[in-house]
Amino acid sequence: MKALRFHGQHDLRLDDIPIPECGPGQVKLKPAWVGICGSDLHEYLGGPNICPTSPHPITGESVPLTFGHEFSGVIEEIGTGVTRVQVGDRVTVQPIIYDGTCAACKEKWINCCYSGGFIGLSGWGGGLGEHVVAPEKSVYKIPDNVPLDIAALVEPLAVGWHAVKISPYKPGDSVLILGGGPIGLAVIQALRAKSPKQIIVSEVSPRRKEYAKQFGADVILDPTKDDIVAECKKICDGVGPDVAFDAAGVQSALTQAIHSLRAHGTLVNIAVWEKAASITPNDLLFKEKRYMGIATYVEGDFQEVIDAISQGKMHPQSMITKKINLDEVVEEGFEALVKDKDNQVKILVDMSST
């Protein structure tokens, strides 16, 4: 079968590899739509970072590896013991690979597994292959009113949903979001389903400002023109936002967010940083502010996002800015995200013709 595999920096190849076999407790599916993630792009530009160069402790695989961890598809085959899904079911895939035995997994923090990884980054195939085999527990059925292209957005939306869910946010809070890219937009949508007082977004790109407004931001600030700290305090009754979410990973924005927060406010980091950042502890100390990190999602988050989309509480269709075929992935997908970043949110790969 054909599969787009990561061999190294700027080295993606459409390889011929064996069709995976479906074993007990597993399902084989035909991918339908696959999103290109920022993590994929980071690997392409500067990796391998996440992709293992020595055998992964769970999958036993290393580079070259099939890409694609944001995807939907249709079940083609089920292994013995599978009861939750059947052939023909439309599904989305929760790609976290975890051992289920470490201290984090025993607490149900599968996103923090000490040996963890991801389908589409760490082995077990990926959405950018003609077929993929996954554990039954990794697939979630999609309601009839949710199209398969929208189902491919569940994974990035679940990141935003999880960030809001485990943060101290409560309905009626004021929120600052740093960055209007895919994850920042996911946070906006998660918040809109949970009744915020107001959402402020700090973003430079004109097009991403438009998207942020479209998805429900109340105020858009430009950090190159606006005094973020002063404006946030002015908007939030002189005290600042209750919670801030960092989906940008930029030092200046981090510092501004900490200074913007009200006393006892919390900054939630979602961004994957490319280099070290600095925080002055006293900026947290004297107003008892908090800084916390979140990683992807846990069991339950995918189903909650699927339900929110199906019930009309989230409307992510406009996140899709481009659709391409598998043989166009490098130039029209990865390179487009580099050269035309400001105009793209989520590029989806159509796997139906492969």
Side-chain angles (χ1 to χ4, degrees):
M1 71 173 193
K2 295 288 186 183
L4 189 86
R5 297 205 298 171
F6 172 75
H7 287 257
Q9 190 175 133
H10 290 278
D11 188 1
L12 294 174
R13 306 179 198 175
L14 195 56
D15 294 332
D16 281 305
I17 62 173
I19 296 175
E21 296 183 1
C22 184
Q26 297 178 323
V27 299
K28 182 162 79 172
L29 59 144
K30 169 70 174 171
W33 293 94
V34 187
I36 301 175
C37 176
S39 299
D40 300 324
L41 189 62
H42 286 309
E43 292 297 287
Y44 173 69
L45 294 175
N49 297 308
I50 300 173
C51 294
T53 54
S54 58
H56 187 272
I58 298 177
T59 69
E61 299 179 49
S62 58
V63 173
L65 294 165
T66 303
F67 260 3
H69 63 276
E70 301 179 357
F71 65 105
S72 62
V74 178
I75 301 291
E76 298 180 299
E77 181 182 345
I78 61 173
T80 57
V82 171
T83 58
R84 288 178 48 247
V85 292
Q86 58 188 358
V87 173
D89 280 348
R90 301 156 66 254
V91 299
T92 188
V93 177
Q94 192 267 70
I96 293 179
I97 295 170
Y98 58 98
D99 60 26
T101 60
C102 72
C105 287
K106 287 179 180 178
E107 296 280 357
K108 300 190 183 301
W109 302 328
I110 60 171
N111 55 332
C112 300
C113 176
Y114 291 104
S115 299
F118 296 87
I119 297 170
L121 284 169
S122 312
W124 290 357
L128 291 173
E130 292 184 88
H131 308 275
V132 61
V133 167
E136 178 189 18
K137 63 189 177 185
S138 297
V139 298
Y140 288 77
K141 288 197 287 187
I142 299 301
D144 291 340
N145 68 336
V146 178
L148 280 168
D149 57 348
I150 302 303
L153 302 176
V154 169
E155 196 274 350
L157 289 169
V159 175
W161 188 273
H162 179 69
V164 173
K165 184 177 175 180
I166 71 165
S167 77
Y169 169 82
K170 59 187 183 301
D173 279 352
S174 294
V175 177
L176 168 65
I177 299 172
L178 307 177
I183 299 304
L185 297 179
V187 173
I188 293 173
Q189 292 177 78
L191 287 166
R192 276 291 158 222
K194 297 173 182 285
S195 306
K197 180 178 181 180
Q198 54 197 347
I199 299 173
I200 306 163
V201 173
S202 175
E203 172 59 56
V204 175
S205 162
R207 186 73 186 275
R208 291 190 170 190
K209 290 177 186 176
E210 294 175 9
Y211 285 127
K213 195 71 174 177
Q214 177 183 339
F215 282 109
D218 297 294
V219 179
I220 310 294
L221 300 177
D222 185 332
T224 66
K225 300 175 182 178
D226 299 314
D227 183 331
I228 302 299
V229 177
E231 289 298 319
C232 282
K233 290 188 182 300
K234 185 189 303 181
I235 294 164
C236 301
D237 303 319
V239 296
D242 300 279
V243 185
F245 294 90
D246 186 354
V250 176
Q251 178 64 60
S252 57
L254 168 65
T255 302
Q256 290 167 348
I258 291 174
H259 290 165
S260 297
L261 287 169
R262 67 181 300 151
H264 279 234
T266 300
L267 175 56
V268 181
N269 182 74
I270 316 171
V272 176
W273 288 71
E274 295 183 349
K275 55 186 177 182
S278 63
I279 293 176
T280 302
N282 285 354
D283 290 341
L284 302 174
L285 173 70
F286 290 113
K287 292 294 184 289
E288 294 190 343
K289 299 178 183 181
R290 302 174 184 87
Y291 183 76
M292 64 181 291
I294 78 102
T296 63
Y297 30 76
V298 295
E299 290 180 10
D301 292 330
F302 258 57
Q303 191 60 57
E304 289 171 12
V305 169
I306 291 167
D307 292 344
I309 296 171
S310 180
Q311 295 164 9
K313 296 177 181 177
M314 299 177 83
H315 303 277
Q317 293 90 337
S318 297
M319 289 180 71
I320 303 170
T321 48
K322 192 176 185 180
K323 292 180 176 179
I324 61 176
N325 295 321
L326 182 60
D327 59 4
E328 302 175 302
V329 165
V330 175
E331 286 302 319
E332 297 298 324
F334 285 82
E335 289 297 326
L337 288 171
V338 175
K339 300 171 183 175
D340 192 29
K341 176 182 177 182
D342 287 350
N343 291 315
Q344 302 297 336
V345 177
K346 187 58 61 178
I347 297 177
L348 293 189
V349 183
D350 182 359
M351 297 295 293
S352 63
S353 60
T354 59

